[in-house]
Amino acid sequence: MGRNSNDPLWESFRNPTDTLLPNQTLERGSFLVSQKSQANFTQGRFYLRMLDNGNMVLVTQSVPSNMDYDDEYYNTQTSDTTNATNSGDKLVFEENGVMYVLKRNNQRQILTPRSIPSGSDNYHRVTLNFDGVLSHYYHSRILNSSGWNILWSQPNNICIEIDGDKGPGSCGYNNVCSLGSNNRPVCNCPKGYSLVDPNDAYGDCKPVFSISCDEVGRGSPEDLYSFIMIRDTDWPKSDFQIISPSTEQDCQNACLNDCFCVVAIYRSNSCWKKKLPLSNGRIDTNLNSKAFMKIRKDGVPPLSIPGFPNSGSSRSKNWRNLSVVLSALLGSSVLVNILFISVFCWGFFHIYKKKMKILRPTSHVADSMCHSFTYKELVEATKDFKEELGRGAFGIVYKGVMPIGSRNVVAIKKLDRVAHEAEKEFITEVNVISQTHHKNLVRLLGYCNEGAHRLLVYEYMSNGTLASFIFGDLKPTWSQRTNIAMGVARGLAYLHEECSTQIIHCDIKPQNILLDDHHVARISDFGLSKLMMINQSRTLTNIRGTRGYVAPEWFRNSQVTVKVDVYSFGVLLLEIITCRKNYENEESYGPEAILTDWVLDCLQEGKLEALVQSDFEALNDKKQLERFVMVGVWCIQEDPSTRPTMRKVCQMLEGSVEVTFPPCPYNFSITI
């Protein structure tokens, strides 16, 4: 019997690429493959496979050989070698949004959460993202402005789950992976390294300086190299020697005196020496480790002057050629020689001086990637400061367009409270700000310090402020809110403990938390509080901050520490949990008008569900809800010594440290 003429030879619905739609299935032997990057739709290196043994797995591949690496970073465990009928048969994505592995005995292993937005009111899709995370999205059929929201994703932490000996990991070689919102990885080159391809943040990083065994004997290692210390960062697959037992200082010395060693990891009285390329880089707060990264003391190699290259062979060749010319000229008359030498010296000095001026403009910002702009350039970039993005205590922010690396759109802040005569202090503080690099901080790209004009150029954050996100008409998902809260906590922990100069923000609030393209929380305006003090009296009682977020010690004659940020974060955390401002209208809210008081009442009375009414995702995870609320109350304790550090806050939010029931935060015997 011949084939029906109406039967298709091939159809796209039976051959998905990176996305499953409702009513689609994946039979044994079928797969999804990610795209290469967010903007590149060619084949990537992450695969979802329905294996012949019945398992659904996520794996990485070697591109372009298309050979699977051995390590599976997610596995449904639906194969059964002892009973074939218990093994998975196919992956099914139903019309109602439920996805499961259907076994040969017709039993189902459900992969989606129990509570799923209605299929009749929402569109659903499951996509293997370019970064290797499998995500289930839903989109309201009624509210077009709601966008695609995350229902669930796997794996829970791709930075850690990809742990094979082959391949670079979730980020490229020498790159470092940290967990962003919705379980998506965020990749950042460590200090002293830059992207091989500036347009691929998830790709390989290269050192911007040289570490070579050829330099052995040319000087002591102490003269050539120093270390940058990074906490809780590791490249677990790049070890070439383990020293145990070891002290922290012995670990540094061992790496310093080994020309192959680029990083030493110290943890639990042991030292791991690592060499290039570094693979499977990740940030993991459970490590409790210190990474000592070796860098040259003189930073990047000195820039070459045209005609005088740095490379030894070409430089020797150029000088040989020059010596031939000089020999010929010196054989002529004395007068000609004097004229030639005078002109040569004048020209060399003039060109060298001009070149140095180009290489080192008026910045004075040492060892940073910060650009110095003229005021005219920023006027042109903003079209005479036409489009205002927002305003706050430090000045007005405008949208601008200018090419800085791979970026075009930038945010330009005009500072209006810096003393114009304090140029040295301004440059010092800008230098400190520019050297802070963390995925949860808005990066400073450049500045202007020209006459009366003081401006800062930042990354542009496309999704605006956290305030507009959590206080808007559409309530963000619980997973979005928890990821944002943890991102802010990690950013503050970095400012307090990990960057070279400790920074107290002094004004943590939703308006100073921005959201990038992937809704990753990015802290803005850090370092500006100290910068604004340039023309203010530096008394302990000089209150800075915003009403409702200001810690009690600001009102007392007591020392202000990083704990003021912990207090502000506690208020912010409670706002993120409830999607409510810390102060509301008393006529409308009554006894619930003051958020901190209401949260405390609900916690003590065991009525936390009142804080997240109709938020089914939050209600389905009451343990996490209770943990987050208790952390918020610990942070707003009136006594600063009782508040946890931001590092401990991170551990408490993640669940790696137990959170005990907090005491009442208020000491009513103290008058504020």
Side-chain angles (χ1 to χ4, degrees), residues 11-82:
E11 57 179 303
S12 61
F13 203 72
R14 294 184 180 274
N15 294 273
T17 305
D18 66 346
T19 297
L20 283 179
L21 299 177
N23 291 326
Q24 279 188 298
T25 61
L26 277 184
E27 307 287 342
R28 288 191 178 198
S30 300
F31 61 86
L32 300 179
V33 58
S34 69
Q35 60 190 55
K36 188 172 183 180
S37 68
Q38 194 162 13
N40 187 335
F41 294 91
T42 57
Q43 178 180 315
R45 62 188 183 94
F46 298 98
Y47 277 73
L48 181 156
R49 291 193 180 278
M50 193 62 203
L51 301 179
D52 291 335
N53 64 11
N55 276 334
M56 189 211 84
V57 299
L58 297 177
V59 296
T60 60
Q61 270 201 349
S62 172
V63 178
S65 68
N66 292 336
M67 293 294 292
D68 282 359
Y69 290 132
D70 296 333
D71 53 311
E72 300 165 353
Y73 61 94
Y74 177 73
N75 190 324
T76 57
Q77 302 292 332
T78 48
S79 67
D80 191 338
T81 55
T82 60

Side-chain angles (χ1 to χ4, degrees), residues 568-585:
S568 301
F569 174 79
V571 179
L572 176 72
L573 177 58
L574 300 182
E575 290 182 319
I576 292 173
I577 292 170
T578 60
C579 289
R580 251 202 54 188
K581 297 178 181 178
N582 59 34
Y583 282 113
E584 295 285 6
N585 185 285

Side-chain angles (χ1 to χ4, degrees), residues 222-322:
E222 293 84 356
D223 295 334
L224 294 174
Y225 304 111
S226 61
F227 288 102
I228 297 173
M229 193 274 285
I230 308 174
R231 292 184 182 274
D232 301 331
T233 300
D234 195 8
W235 293 266
K237 301 301 176 181
S238 303
D239 306 335
F240 70 91
Q241 185 181 8
I242 301 175
I243 304 172
S244 184
S246 172
T247 66
E248 186 175 314
Q249 189 59 50
D250 289 342
C251 187
Q252 292 185 55
N253 292 337
C255 186
L256 182 66
N257 292 287
D258 189 333
C259 62
F260 292 107
C261 180
V262 293
V263 178
I265 305 294
Y266 180 75
R267 181 176 68 250
S268 303
N269 299 322
S270 296
C271 179
W272 287 262
K273 292 162 63 176
K274 300 177 183 289
K275 61 182 179 180
L276 294 175
L278 303 167
S279 67
N280 293 84
R282 80 277 304 272
I283 294 176
D284 183 0
T285 55
N286 294 320
L287 289 173
N288 193 25
S289 66
K290 295 180 180 179
F292 298 102
M293 300 201 67
K294 187 191 288 185
I295 61 169
R296 293 188 69 94
K297 280 190 174 181
D298 55 354
V300 298
L303 294 171
S304 60
I305 302 173
F308 297 88
N310 272 329
S311 127
S313 58
S314 59
R315 179 168 53 194
S316 300
K317 182 178 178 181
N318 285 345
W319 278 110
R320 285 197 300 270
N321 292 339
L322 183 60

Side-chain angles (χ1 to χ4, degrees), residues 317-377:
K317 182 178 178 181
N318 285 345
W319 278 110
R320 285 197 300 270
N321 292 339
L322 183 60
S323 65
V324 172
V325 176
L326 289 173
S327 298
L329 288 170
L330 291 172
S332 58
S333 68
V334 175
L335 180 61
V336 172
N337 287 338
I338 293 173
L339 289 173
F340 168 76
I341 292 172
S342 300
V343 172
F344 177 82
C345 292
W346 177 86
F348 178 81
F349 176 77
H350 180 74
I351 293 171
Y352 180 82
K353 184 178 179 181
K354 184 176 181 180
K355 187 65 180 178
M356 289 301 102
K357 186 175 181 181
I358 293 172
L359 293 177
R360 289 192 296 269
T362 59
S363 71
H364 307 302
V365 179
D367 300 325
S368 79
M369 300 301 290
C370 207
H371 295 261
S372 173
F373 296 103
T374 65
Y375 184 66
K376 182 180 178 182
E377 288 177 315

